[in-house]
Short mmCIF file of all heavy atoms in Angstrom, two decimals:
data_model
loop_
_atom_site.label_atom_id
_atom_site.label_comp_id
_atom_site.label_asym_id
_atom_site.label_seq_id
_atom_site.Cartn_x
_atom_site.Cartn_y
_atom_site.Cartn_z
N MET C 1 -82.00 -56.00 122.33
CA MET C 1 -80.74 -56.54 122.94
C MET C 1 -80.17 -55.52 123.96
O MET C 1 -80.07 -54.37 123.68
CB MET C 1 -79.80 -56.84 121.79
CG MET C 1 -78.41 -57.45 122.32
SD MET C 1 -77.27 -57.66 120.98
CE MET C 1 -77.42 -59.44 120.87
N SER C 2 -79.73 -56.02 125.04
CA SER C 2 -79.23 -55.19 126.13
C SER C 2 -77.73 -54.89 125.82
O SER C 2 -77.03 -55.64 125.18
CB SER C 2 -79.31 -55.91 127.43
OG SER C 2 -78.48 -55.40 128.41
N LEU C 3 -77.31 -53.80 126.40
CA LEU C 3 -75.88 -53.41 126.31
C LEU C 3 -74.97 -54.47 126.88
O LEU C 3 -73.84 -54.63 126.49
CB LEU C 3 -75.69 -52.07 127.03
CG LEU C 3 -74.32 -51.43 127.01
CD1 LEU C 3 -73.88 -51.11 125.59
CD2 LEU C 3 -74.30 -50.18 127.83
N TYR C 4 -75.50 -55.23 127.87
CA TYR C 4 -74.72 -56.25 128.58
C TYR C 4 -75.07 -57.65 128.23
O TYR C 4 -74.58 -58.56 128.96
CB TYR C 4 -74.84 -55.98 130.12
CG TYR C 4 -74.33 -54.60 130.49
CD1 TYR C 4 -75.27 -53.58 130.78
CD2 TYR C 4 -72.99 -54.31 130.54
CE1 TYR C 4 -74.83 -52.32 131.09
CE2 TYR C 4 -72.54 -52.99 130.82
CZ TYR C 4 -73.49 -52.06 131.10
OH TYR C 4 -73.05 -50.77 131.42
N SER C 5 -75.82 -57.85 127.18
CA SER C 5 -76.26 -59.23 126.88
C SER C 5 -75.14 -60.15 126.38
O SER C 5 -75.27 -61.32 126.40
CB SER C 5 -77.36 -59.19 125.83
OG SER C 5 -76.95 -58.56 124.69
N ASN C 6 -74.01 -59.46 126.02
CA ASN C 6 -72.85 -60.32 125.50
C ASN C 6 -72.03 -60.89 126.69
O ASN C 6 -71.21 -61.72 126.47
CB ASN C 6 -71.93 -59.42 124.65
CG ASN C 6 -71.36 -58.26 125.38
OD1 ASN C 6 -72.06 -57.61 126.19
ND2 ASN C 6 -70.15 -57.91 125.08
N LEU C 7 -72.29 -60.47 127.87
CA LEU C 7 -71.52 -60.96 129.08
C LEU C 7 -71.97 -62.35 129.47
O LEU C 7 -73.18 -62.63 129.45
CB LEU C 7 -71.68 -60.02 130.24
CG LEU C 7 -71.16 -58.61 130.12
CD1 LEU C 7 -71.48 -57.75 131.37
CD2 LEU C 7 -69.71 -58.61 129.80
N SER C 8 -71.08 -63.12 129.89
CA SER C 8 -71.44 -64.43 130.45
C SER C 8 -72.06 -64.23 131.85
O SER C 8 -71.93 -63.15 132.41
CB SER C 8 -70.16 -65.35 130.65
OG SER C 8 -69.33 -64.79 131.66
N ASP C 9 -72.79 -65.20 132.29
CA ASP C 9 -73.39 -65.12 133.61
C ASP C 9 -72.35 -64.85 134.71
O ASP C 9 -72.57 -64.01 135.57
CB ASP C 9 -74.16 -66.38 134.00
CG ASP C 9 -75.42 -66.60 133.14
OD1 ASP C 9 -75.90 -65.62 132.56
OD2 ASP C 9 -75.94 -67.71 133.12
N LYS C 10 -71.19 -65.51 134.61
CA LYS C 10 -70.12 -65.33 135.55
C LYS C 10 -69.59 -63.93 135.50
O LYS C 10 -69.45 -63.29 136.61
CB LYS C 10 -69.03 -66.34 135.24
CG LYS C 10 -67.89 -66.34 136.29
CD LYS C 10 -66.89 -67.46 135.89
CE LYS C 10 -65.71 -67.43 136.91
NZ LYS C 10 -64.77 -68.50 136.66
N GLU C 11 -69.37 -63.34 134.36
CA GLU C 11 -68.81 -61.99 134.22
C GLU C 11 -69.87 -60.97 134.75
O GLU C 11 -69.52 -59.97 135.44
CB GLU C 11 -68.48 -61.72 132.79
CG GLU C 11 -67.96 -60.27 132.54
CD GLU C 11 -66.64 -59.93 133.28
OE1 GLU C 11 -65.92 -60.82 133.75
OE2 GLU C 11 -66.36 -58.71 133.27
N LEU C 12 -71.16 -61.23 134.44
CA LEU C 12 -72.19 -60.34 134.82
C LEU C 12 -72.26 -60.31 136.42
O LEU C 12 -72.27 -59.26 137.01
CB LEU C 12 -73.52 -60.85 134.28
CG LEU C 12 -74.73 -60.02 134.49
CD1 LEU C 12 -74.64 -58.65 133.83
CD2 LEU C 12 -76.00 -60.78 133.95
N HIS C 13 -72.16 -61.49 137.02
CA HIS C 13 -72.17 -61.60 138.50
C HIS C 13 -70.98 -60.88 139.09
O HIS C 13 -71.08 -60.15 140.05
CB HIS C 13 -72.20 -63.07 138.86
CG HIS C 13 -72.21 -63.28 140.32
ND1 HIS C 13 -73.30 -63.17 141.11
CD2 HIS C 13 -71.21 -63.67 141.15
CE1 HIS C 13 -72.97 -63.45 142.38
NE2 HIS C 13 -71.71 -63.75 142.41
N ARG C 14 -69.77 -61.09 138.48
CA ARG C 14 -68.59 -60.43 138.98
C ARG C 14 -68.67 -58.87 138.93
O ARG C 14 -68.35 -58.24 139.90
CB ARG C 14 -67.35 -60.87 138.12
CG ARG C 14 -66.05 -60.33 138.66
CD ARG C 14 -64.86 -60.60 137.70
NE ARG C 14 -64.92 -59.94 136.46
CZ ARG C 14 -64.68 -58.63 136.31
NH1 ARG C 14 -64.36 -57.92 137.34
NH2 ARG C 14 -64.69 -58.02 135.11
N ARG C 15 -69.19 -58.37 137.85
CA ARG C 15 -69.33 -56.93 137.75
C ARG C 15 -70.33 -56.37 138.74
O ARG C 15 -70.09 -55.30 139.31
CB ARG C 15 -69.71 -56.48 136.36
CG ARG C 15 -68.58 -56.65 135.34
CD ARG C 15 -68.99 -56.09 134.07
NE ARG C 15 -67.90 -56.33 133.03
CZ ARG C 15 -67.89 -55.70 131.85
NH1 ARG C 15 -68.88 -54.88 131.53
NH2 ARG C 15 -66.94 -55.99 131.01
N ILE C 16 -71.41 -57.08 138.97
CA ILE C 16 -72.40 -56.64 139.90
C ILE C 16 -71.80 -56.60 141.29
O ILE C 16 -71.92 -55.62 142.06
CB ILE C 16 -73.63 -57.52 139.90
CG1 ILE C 16 -74.46 -57.33 138.62
CG2 ILE C 16 -74.54 -57.31 141.14
CD1 ILE C 16 -75.52 -58.29 138.40
N LYS C 17 -71.09 -57.66 141.69
CA LYS C 17 -70.47 -57.73 143.00
C LYS C 17 -69.41 -56.67 143.19
O LYS C 17 -69.27 -56.11 144.30
CB LYS C 17 -69.84 -59.13 143.27
CG LYS C 17 -70.89 -60.23 143.40
CD LYS C 17 -71.83 -59.90 144.56
CE LYS C 17 -73.00 -60.88 144.65
NZ LYS C 17 -73.99 -60.41 145.63
N GLU C 18 -68.73 -56.34 142.19
CA GLU C 18 -67.68 -55.27 142.27
C GLU C 18 -68.30 -53.95 142.62
O GLU C 18 -67.82 -53.18 143.47
CB GLU C 18 -66.91 -55.15 140.94
CG GLU C 18 -65.85 -56.14 140.72
CD GLU C 18 -65.15 -56.01 139.39
OE1 GLU C 18 -65.53 -55.13 138.59
OE2 GLU C 18 -64.23 -56.81 139.09
N LEU C 19 -69.39 -53.61 141.86
CA LEU C 19 -70.02 -52.31 142.18
C LEU C 19 -70.72 -52.29 143.48
O LEU C 19 -70.68 -51.30 144.23
CB LEU C 19 -71.09 -52.06 141.06
CG LEU C 19 -70.44 -51.72 139.67
CD1 LEU C 19 -71.48 -51.69 138.60
CD2 LEU C 19 -69.72 -50.39 139.72
N GLU C 20 -71.34 -53.40 143.93
CA GLU C 20 -71.93 -53.47 145.24
C GLU C 20 -70.95 -53.39 146.35
O GLU C 20 -71.23 -52.70 147.39
CB GLU C 20 -72.79 -54.79 145.38
CG GLU C 20 -74.01 -54.89 144.57
CD GLU C 20 -74.76 -56.15 144.62
OE1 GLU C 20 -74.11 -57.22 145.02
OE2 GLU C 20 -75.91 -56.23 144.26
N ALA C 21 -69.74 -53.90 146.11
CA ALA C 21 -68.66 -53.82 147.13
C ALA C 21 -68.20 -52.35 147.29
O ALA C 21 -67.71 -52.01 148.41
CB ALA C 21 -67.45 -54.69 146.74
N LYS C 22 -68.39 -51.58 146.29
CA LYS C 22 -68.04 -50.18 146.37
C LYS C 22 -69.18 -49.34 147.04
O LYS C 22 -69.03 -48.11 147.11
CB LYS C 22 -67.72 -49.59 144.99
CG LYS C 22 -66.51 -50.21 144.29
CD LYS C 22 -66.22 -49.65 142.97
CE LYS C 22 -64.95 -50.31 142.34
NZ LYS C 22 -64.73 -49.82 141.01
N GLY C 23 -70.23 -49.99 147.38
CA GLY C 23 -71.31 -49.32 148.05
C GLY C 23 -72.45 -48.81 147.20
O GLY C 23 -73.32 -48.14 147.63
N TYR C 24 -72.36 -49.14 145.91
CA TYR C 24 -73.42 -48.70 144.98
C TYR C 24 -74.66 -49.58 145.08
O TYR C 24 -74.61 -50.73 145.51
CB TYR C 24 -72.88 -48.76 143.53
CG TYR C 24 -71.83 -47.77 143.22
CD1 TYR C 24 -70.53 -48.22 142.87
CD2 TYR C 24 -72.05 -46.37 143.30
CE1 TYR C 24 -69.56 -47.30 142.59
CE2 TYR C 24 -71.03 -45.47 142.97
CZ TYR C 24 -69.83 -45.91 142.63
OH TYR C 24 -68.80 -45.10 142.29
N THR C 25 -75.79 -49.01 144.71
CA THR C 25 -77.00 -49.78 144.58
C THR C 25 -77.54 -49.56 143.18
O THR C 25 -77.09 -48.61 142.48
CB THR C 25 -78.14 -49.36 145.57
OG1 THR C 25 -78.50 -48.01 145.23
CG2 THR C 25 -77.55 -49.41 147.01
N GLY C 26 -78.58 -50.32 142.82
CA GLY C 26 -79.20 -50.06 141.52
C GLY C 26 -79.87 -48.71 141.38
O GLY C 26 -80.04 -48.21 140.27
N VAL C 27 -80.15 -48.12 142.59
CA VAL C 27 -80.76 -46.81 142.57
C VAL C 27 -79.74 -45.70 142.37
O VAL C 27 -80.00 -44.68 141.72
CB VAL C 27 -81.57 -46.58 143.90
CG1 VAL C 27 -82.09 -45.15 144.01
CG2 VAL C 27 -82.72 -47.59 144.01
N THR C 28 -78.58 -45.89 142.91
CA THR C 28 -77.53 -44.85 142.85
C THR C 28 -76.59 -44.97 141.72
O THR C 28 -75.81 -44.08 141.46
CB THR C 28 -76.66 -44.91 144.19
OG1 THR C 28 -76.01 -46.20 144.34
CG2 THR C 28 -77.58 -44.68 145.43
N ASN C 29 -76.60 -46.10 140.99
CA ASN C 29 -75.64 -46.32 139.89
C ASN C 29 -76.38 -46.90 138.69
O ASN C 29 -76.84 -48.10 138.73
CB ASN C 29 -74.54 -47.26 140.38
CG ASN C 29 -73.47 -47.40 139.32
OD1 ASN C 29 -73.64 -47.94 138.30
ND2 ASN C 29 -72.24 -46.92 139.74
N PRO C 30 -76.47 -46.14 137.64
CA PRO C 30 -77.16 -46.63 136.43
C PRO C 30 -76.58 -47.87 135.79
O PRO C 30 -77.29 -48.72 135.22
CB PRO C 30 -77.17 -45.46 135.45
CG PRO C 30 -76.17 -44.52 135.92
CD PRO C 30 -75.96 -44.80 137.43
N ILE C 31 -75.28 -48.01 135.82
CA ILE C 31 -74.66 -49.24 135.33
C ILE C 31 -75.03 -50.44 136.10
O ILE C 31 -75.37 -51.49 135.57
CB ILE C 31 -73.09 -49.03 135.27
CG1 ILE C 31 -72.73 -47.94 134.31
CG2 ILE C 31 -72.41 -50.39 134.91
CD1 ILE C 31 -71.28 -47.54 134.26
N LEU C 32 -75.03 -50.33 137.47
CA LEU C 32 -75.45 -51.43 138.32
C LEU C 32 -76.86 -51.78 138.07
O LEU C 32 -77.29 -52.97 138.00
CB LEU C 32 -75.19 -51.12 139.81
CG LEU C 32 -75.55 -52.22 140.77
CD1 LEU C 32 -74.94 -53.58 140.44
CD2 LEU C 32 -75.25 -51.77 142.19
N HIS C 33 -77.69 -50.78 137.88
CA HIS C 33 -79.12 -51.00 137.57
C HIS C 33 -79.21 -51.77 136.26
O HIS C 33 -79.97 -52.79 136.21
CB HIS C 33 -79.88 -49.63 137.44
CG HIS C 33 -81.27 -49.84 137.01
ND1 HIS C 33 -82.28 -50.35 137.80
CD2 HIS C 33 -81.87 -49.58 135.80
CE1 HIS C 33 -83.41 -50.40 137.13
NE2 HIS C 33 -83.18 -49.98 135.93
N ALA C 34 -78.52 -51.41 135.27
CA ALA C 34 -78.58 -52.13 133.96
C ALA C 34 -78.08 -53.52 134.13
O ALA C 34 -78.66 -54.53 133.51
CB ALA C 34 -77.72 -51.36 132.89
N LEU C 35 -77.01 -53.74 134.89
CA LEU C 35 -76.46 -55.10 135.07
C LEU C 35 -77.49 -55.95 135.84
O LEU C 35 -77.68 -57.12 135.50
CB LEU C 35 -75.14 -55.05 135.87
CG LEU C 35 -73.97 -54.45 135.10
CD1 LEU C 35 -72.82 -54.17 136.05
CD2 LEU C 35 -73.51 -55.38 133.94
N ASN C 36 -78.12 -55.33 136.89
CA ASN C 36 -79.14 -56.13 137.62
C ASN C 36 -80.29 -56.47 136.72
O ASN C 36 -80.79 -57.67 136.77
CB ASN C 36 -79.65 -55.29 138.77
CG ASN C 36 -78.70 -55.27 139.92
OD1 ASN C 36 -77.89 -56.09 140.12
ND2 ASN C 36 -78.81 -54.14 140.72
N CYS C 37 -80.74 -55.64 135.87
CA CYS C 37 -81.81 -55.89 134.94
C CYS C 37 -81.44 -57.01 133.97
O CYS C 37 -82.24 -57.93 133.73
CB CYS C 37 -82.21 -54.62 134.17
SG CYS C 37 -83.05 -53.41 135.13
N GLU C 38 -80.26 -56.96 133.44
CA GLU C 38 -79.79 -58.00 132.58
C GLU C 38 -79.80 -59.34 133.24
O GLU C 38 -80.23 -60.36 132.67
CB GLU C 38 -78.39 -57.71 132.00
CG GLU C 38 -77.81 -58.79 131.16
CD GLU C 38 -78.58 -59.07 129.90
OE1 GLU C 38 -79.14 -58.13 129.35
OE2 GLU C 38 -78.55 -60.25 129.40
N GLN C 39 -79.30 -59.39 134.52
CA GLN C 39 -79.23 -60.62 135.29
C GLN C 39 -80.60 -61.21 135.50
O GLN C 39 -80.84 -62.40 135.30
CB GLN C 39 -78.49 -60.38 136.58
CG GLN C 39 -78.23 -61.62 137.40
CD GLN C 39 -77.55 -61.38 138.66
OE1 GLN C 39 -77.98 -60.46 139.45
NE2 GLN C 39 -76.45 -62.07 138.87
N THR C 40 -81.58 -60.38 135.95
CA THR C 40 -82.91 -60.88 136.23
C THR C 40 -83.69 -61.20 134.99
O THR C 40 -84.48 -62.13 134.93
CB THR C 40 -83.64 -59.91 137.14
OG1 THR C 40 -83.72 -58.67 136.55
CG2 THR C 40 -83.04 -59.86 138.49
N ASP C 41 -83.39 -60.50 133.84
CA ASP C 41 -84.13 -60.76 132.59
C ASP C 41 -83.73 -62.12 132.06
O ASP C 41 -84.50 -62.68 131.25
CB ASP C 41 -83.80 -59.69 131.58
CG ASP C 41 -84.54 -58.36 131.85
OD1 ASP C 41 -85.42 -58.35 132.75
OD2 ASP C 41 -84.15 -57.36 131.26
N ARG C 42 -82.61 -62.63 132.44
CA ARG C 42 -82.20 -63.98 131.97
C ARG C 42 -82.96 -65.12 132.66
O ARG C 42 -82.96 -66.27 132.18
CB ARG C 42 -80.68 -64.18 132.20
CG ARG C 42 -79.88 -63.31 131.32
CD ARG C 42 -78.42 -63.48 131.52
NE ARG C 42 -77.62 -62.55 130.74
CZ ARG C 42 -76.31 -62.56 130.64
NH1 ARG C 42 -75.58 -63.53 131.24
NH2 ARG C 42 -75.65 -61.67 129.89
N LEU C 43 -83.65 -64.84 133.73
CA LEU C 43 -84.39 -65.81 134.45
C LEU C 43 -85.78 -66.00 133.75
O LEU C 43 -86.40 -65.06 133.35
CB LEU C 43 -84.64 -65.38 135.94
CG LEU C 43 -83.42 -65.18 136.80
CD1 LEU C 43 -83.83 -64.56 138.09
CD2 LEU C 43 -82.66 -66.48 137.02
N SER C 44 -86.30 -67.26 133.82
CA SER C 44 -87.64 -67.51 133.38
C SER C 44 -88.63 -66.96 134.43
O SER C 44 -88.17 -66.70 135.55
CB SER C 44 -87.87 -69.02 133.14
OG SER C 44 -87.89 -69.65 134.41
N ASP C 45 -89.86 -66.88 134.05
CA ASP C 45 -90.86 -66.35 135.00
C ASP C 45 -90.91 -67.31 136.20
O ASP C 45 -90.95 -66.84 137.34
CB ASP C 45 -92.27 -66.32 134.36
CG ASP C 45 -92.37 -65.14 133.37
OD1 ASP C 45 -91.42 -64.35 133.22
OD2 ASP C 45 -93.43 -65.10 132.67
N ASN C 46 -90.90 -68.63 135.95
CA ASN C 46 -90.91 -69.61 137.07
C ASN C 46 -89.69 -69.51 137.95
O ASN C 46 -89.86 -69.59 139.16
CB ASN C 46 -91.09 -71.02 136.47
CG ASN C 46 -92.52 -71.31 135.98
OD1 ASN C 46 -93.44 -70.65 136.37
ND2 ASN C 46 -92.63 -72.25 135.07
N GLU C 47 -88.59 -69.34 137.33
CA GLU C 47 -87.36 -69.23 138.11
C GLU C 47 -87.39 -67.94 139.04
O GLU C 47 -87.00 -67.96 140.15
CB GLU C 47 -86.11 -69.07 137.23
CG GLU C 47 -85.69 -70.39 136.52
CD GLU C 47 -84.61 -70.18 135.51
OE1 GLU C 47 -84.66 -69.18 134.78
OE2 GLU C 47 -83.75 -71.06 135.44
N LEU C 48 -87.88 -66.89 138.41
CA LEU C 48 -87.98 -65.57 139.16
C LEU C 48 -88.94 -65.71 140.33
O LEU C 48 -88.54 -65.31 141.45
CB LEU C 48 -88.47 -64.49 138.19
CG LEU C 48 -88.51 -63.10 138.72
CD1 LEU C 48 -87.16 -62.61 139.19
CD2 LEU C 48 -89.04 -62.16 137.57
N LEU C 49 -90.07 -66.28 140.10
CA LEU C 49 -91.06 -66.46 141.23
C LEU C 49 -90.58 -67.36 142.28
O LEU C 49 -90.74 -67.13 143.48
CB LEU C 49 -92.41 -66.91 140.64
CG LEU C 49 -93.09 -65.92 139.74
CD1 LEU C 49 -94.34 -66.50 139.17
CD2 LEU C 49 -93.44 -64.59 140.50
N SER C 50 -89.90 -68.44 141.92
CA SER C 50 -89.32 -69.41 142.85
C SER C 50 -88.23 -68.72 143.71
O SER C 50 -88.19 -68.90 144.92
CB SER C 50 -88.71 -70.55 142.10
OG SER C 50 -88.16 -71.50 143.01
N LEU C 51 -87.43 -67.92 143.05
CA LEU C 51 -86.34 -67.20 143.85
C LEU C 51 -86.95 -66.23 144.82
O LEU C 51 -86.50 -66.07 145.94
CB LEU C 51 -85.40 -66.51 142.93
CG LEU C 51 -84.23 -67.29 142.34
CD1 LEU C 51 -83.50 -66.53 141.25
CD2 LEU C 51 -83.31 -67.71 143.45
N ILE C 52 -88.04 -65.51 144.40
CA ILE C 52 -88.64 -64.56 145.30
C ILE C 52 -89.18 -65.26 146.53
O ILE C 52 -88.96 -64.87 147.68
CB ILE C 52 -89.74 -63.82 144.58
CG1 ILE C 52 -89.23 -62.79 143.58
CG2 ILE C 52 -90.67 -63.06 145.56
CD1 ILE C 52 -90.23 -62.14 142.62
N ARG C 53 -89.85 -66.39 146.32
CA ARG C 53 -90.44 -67.16 147.40
C ARG C 53 -89.40 -67.69 148.34
O ARG C 53 -89.51 -67.64 149.54
CB ARG C 53 -91.29 -68.34 146.89
CG ARG C 53 -92.60 -67.80 146.26
CD ARG C 53 -93.47 -68.97 145.78
NE ARG C 53 -94.49 -68.47 144.90
CZ ARG C 53 -94.58 -68.67 143.61
NH1 ARG C 53 -93.63 -69.42 142.96
NH2 ARG C 53 -95.55 -68.22 142.88
N SER C 54 -88.32 -68.30 147.82
CA SER C 54 -87.28 -68.88 148.60
C SER C 54 -86.48 -67.83 149.38
O SER C 54 -86.17 -68.00 150.57
CB SER C 54 -86.31 -69.76 147.80
OG SER C 54 -85.59 -69.01 146.89
N ARG C 55 -86.19 -66.69 148.76
CA ARG C 55 -85.50 -65.64 149.49
C ARG C 55 -86.42 -64.96 150.53
O ARG C 55 -85.90 -64.64 151.59
CB ARG C 55 -84.95 -64.58 148.47
CG ARG C 55 -83.85 -65.18 147.58
CD ARG C 55 -83.19 -64.15 146.69
NE ARG C 55 -82.29 -63.24 147.41
CZ ARG C 55 -81.08 -63.47 147.82
NH1 ARG C 55 -80.51 -64.65 147.66
NH2 ARG C 55 -80.44 -62.55 148.43
N ALA C 56 -87.67 -64.86 150.26
CA ALA C 56 -88.57 -64.30 151.28
C ALA C 56 -88.59 -65.25 152.50
O ALA C 56 -88.54 -64.77 153.67
CB ALA C 56 -89.99 -64.09 150.76
N ALA C 57 -88.72 -66.60 152.26
CA ALA C 57 -88.78 -67.50 153.29
C ALA C 57 -87.52 -67.54 154.15
O ALA C 57 -87.51 -67.76 155.38
CB ALA C 57 -89.03 -68.90 152.76
N ALA C 58 -86.41 -67.28 153.51
CA ALA C 58 -85.08 -67.23 154.20
C ALA C 58 -84.77 -65.86 154.74
O ALA C 58 -83.73 -65.70 155.36
CB ALA C 58 -83.91 -67.63 153.24
N GLY C 59 -85.60 -64.86 154.55
CA GLY C 59 -85.36 -63.48 155.08
C GLY C 59 -84.21 -62.79 154.34
O GLY C 59 -83.54 -61.95 154.91
N LYS C 60 -83.98 -63.16 153.11
CA LYS C 60 -82.88 -62.60 152.33
C LYS C 60 -83.41 -61.45 151.44
O LYS C 60 -84.57 -61.44 151.10
CB LYS C 60 -82.22 -63.67 151.46
CG LYS C 60 -81.44 -64.72 152.24
CD LYS C 60 -80.80 -65.69 151.31
CE LYS C 60 -79.95 -66.72 152.04
NZ LYS C 60 -79.33 -67.63 151.14
N PRO C 61 -82.54 -60.56 151.03
CA PRO C 61 -82.94 -59.44 150.15
C PRO C 61 -83.45 -59.98 148.84
O PRO C 61 -82.97 -60.94 148.27
CB PRO C 61 -81.67 -58.62 149.96
CG PRO C 61 -80.74 -59.03 151.00
CD PRO C 61 -81.11 -60.43 151.38
N MET C 62 -84.47 -59.34 148.31
CA MET C 62 -85.05 -59.70 147.03
C MET C 62 -85.55 -58.54 146.14
O MET C 62 -86.33 -58.76 145.23
CB MET C 62 -86.20 -60.71 147.32
CG MET C 62 -87.26 -60.15 148.18
SD MET C 62 -88.43 -61.42 148.60
CE MET C 62 -89.41 -60.48 149.78
N ALA C 63 -85.15 -57.39 146.47
CA ALA C 63 -85.60 -56.16 145.81
C ALA C 63 -85.55 -56.24 144.30
O ALA C 63 -86.45 -55.91 143.52
CB ALA C 63 -84.98 -54.93 146.39
N LYS C 64 -84.34 -56.64 143.75
CA LYS C 64 -84.15 -56.63 142.33
C LYS C 64 -85.02 -57.74 141.66
O LYS C 64 -85.50 -57.58 140.56
CB LYS C 64 -82.77 -56.73 141.89
CG LYS C 64 -81.90 -57.84 142.36
CD LYS C 64 -80.47 -57.66 141.85
CE LYS C 64 -79.53 -58.56 142.65
NZ LYS C 64 -78.14 -58.42 142.20
N LEU C 65 -85.32 -58.79 142.41
CA LEU C 65 -86.18 -59.87 141.89
C LEU C 65 -87.61 -59.32 141.84
O LEU C 65 -88.34 -59.56 140.85
CB LEU C 65 -86.08 -61.12 142.71
CG LEU C 65 -84.72 -61.77 142.82
CD1 LEU C 65 -84.70 -62.84 143.86
CD2 LEU C 65 -84.27 -62.29 141.46
N VAL C 66 -88.07 -58.65 142.88
CA VAL C 66 -89.36 -58.13 142.93
C VAL C 66 -89.61 -57.09 141.83
O VAL C 66 -90.63 -57.01 141.13
CB VAL C 66 -89.70 -57.52 144.32
CG1 VAL C 66 -90.97 -56.69 144.34
CG2 VAL C 66 -89.76 -58.58 145.34
N ALA C 67 -88.60 -56.24 141.64
CA ALA C 67 -88.70 -55.21 140.59
C ALA C 67 -88.82 -55.90 139.19
O ALA C 67 -89.56 -55.41 138.34
CB ALA C 67 -87.46 -54.31 140.61
N ALA C 68 -88.09 -56.93 138.96
CA ALA C 68 -88.15 -57.65 137.67
C ALA C 68 -89.52 -58.30 137.53
O ALA C 68 -90.12 -58.24 136.39
CB ALA C 68 -87.04 -58.74 137.60
N ALA C 69 -90.03 -58.88 138.55
CA ALA C 69 -91.36 -59.50 138.45
C ALA C 69 -92.40 -58.37 138.18
O ALA C 69 -93.36 -58.62 137.36
CB ALA C 69 -91.71 -60.24 139.75
N ARG C 70 -92.33 -57.25 138.79
CA ARG C 70 -93.25 -56.18 138.50
C ARG C 70 -93.13 -55.70 137.09
O ARG C 70 -94.19 -55.41 136.45
CB ARG C 70 -93.03 -55.01 139.49
CG ARG C 70 -93.50 -55.32 140.86
CD ARG C 70 -93.32 -54.16 141.83
NE ARG C 70 -93.84 -54.46 143.12
CZ ARG C 70 -93.33 -54.04 144.24
NH1 ARG C 70 -92.33 -53.17 144.20
NH2 ARG C 70 -93.80 -54.35 145.42
N ARG C 71 -91.93 -55.59 136.56
CA ARG C 71 -91.78 -55.12 135.16
C ARG C 71 -92.45 -56.16 134.21
O ARG C 71 -92.95 -55.73 133.16
CB ARG C 71 -90.30 -55.09 134.78
CG ARG C 71 -89.55 -53.84 135.24
CD ARG C 71 -88.20 -53.62 134.54
NE ARG C 71 -87.35 -54.80 134.52
CZ ARG C 71 -86.48 -55.16 135.48
NH1 ARG C 71 -86.41 -54.48 136.60
NH2 ARG C 71 -85.76 -56.24 135.37
N ARG C 72 -92.46 -57.43 134.57
CA ARG C 72 -93.07 -58.49 133.78
C ARG C 72 -94.56 -58.61 134.02
O ARG C 72 -95.28 -59.36 133.30
CB ARG C 72 -92.43 -59.82 134.01
CG ARG C 72 -91.02 -59.88 133.56
CD ARG C 72 -90.44 -61.28 133.80
NE ARG C 72 -88.99 -61.28 133.71
CZ ARG C 72 -88.32 -62.37 133.71
NH1 ARG C 72 -88.87 -63.59 133.86
NH2 ARG C 72 -86.97 -62.33 133.64
N GLY C 73 -95.11 -57.89 135.05
CA GLY C 73 -96.50 -58.03 135.40
C GLY C 73 -96.84 -59.31 136.05
O GLY C 73 -98.05 -59.74 136.03
N LEU C 74 -95.87 -59.95 136.74
CA LEU C 74 -96.13 -61.17 137.47
C LEU C 74 -96.66 -60.93 138.86
O LEU C 74 -96.30 -59.98 139.56
CB LEU C 74 -94.82 -62.00 137.62
CG LEU C 74 -94.15 -62.42 136.28
CD1 LEU C 74 -92.76 -63.04 136.58
CD2 LEU C 74 -95.00 -63.24 135.46
N SER C 75 -97.58 -61.77 139.29
CA SER C 75 -98.12 -61.74 140.66
C SER C 75 -97.32 -62.73 141.52
O SER C 75 -97.03 -63.85 141.08
CB SER C 75 -99.60 -62.12 140.65
OG SER C 75 -100.28 -61.19 139.90
N PHE C 76 -97.11 -62.40 142.79
CA PHE C 76 -96.41 -63.28 143.66
C PHE C 76 -96.90 -63.07 145.03
O PHE C 76 -97.66 -62.27 145.40
CB PHE C 76 -94.87 -63.04 143.63
CG PHE C 76 -94.43 -61.63 143.74
CD1 PHE C 76 -94.10 -61.17 144.97
CD2 PHE C 76 -94.39 -60.77 142.64
CE1 PHE C 76 -93.75 -59.82 145.18
CE2 PHE C 76 -93.99 -59.46 142.85
CZ PHE C 76 -93.67 -58.99 144.09
#
C-alpha cells in the first residue's frame, strides 16, 4: 500500500498540479515522484499503453507514463 493510496483521484491530481506549479518535477521532489507513481499505478496496463500512444501522437509530455510502463516491464 502506498503512502498516498488513501487520496481520491481528484485530490491526487490537485496535489500534483500544486507541486508542478511551484516548478518541481518528479526528479527534483520526492513527494511529487511518489504522487506521480501513485497516479500512474492506478492505471491498467491497457490504459497506460493507450495514454502513451495518444500523448505521443499529440506531441504531449509522457515521461511519467513511460517510466510507469518500464517499471511494469511493458513494451510500447
Side-chain angles (χ1 to χ4, degrees):
M1 180 184 256
S2 161
L3 182 62
Y4 300 104
S5 60
N6 62 321
L7 297 177
S8 69
D9 289 343
K10 186 177 179 177
E11 178 65 12
L12 187 62
H13 181 76
R14 185 187 67 74
R15 288 189 183 191
I16 289 169
K17 290 301 175 190
E18 282 178 358
L19 291 170
E20 289 175 340
K22 292 178 181 178
Y24 294 115
T25 68
V27 174
T28 63
N29 186 295
I31 294 172
L32 180 54
H33 174 74
L35 291 168
N36 284 335
C37 288
E38 176 63 32
Q39 185 180 52
T40 55
D41 287 348
R42 292 180 184 189
L43 299 172
S44 70
D45 289 354
N46 287 337
E47 289 171 320
L48 185 57
L49 294 174
S50 177
L51 275 173
I52 289 170
R53 289 183 193 108
S54 66
R55 292 186 71 81
K60 293 183 176 181
M62 58 186 174
K64 57 184 163 180
L65 299 172
V66 169
R70 286 184 179 145
R71 280 194 313 272
R72 295 183 193 186
L74 300 175
S75 298
F76 49 94

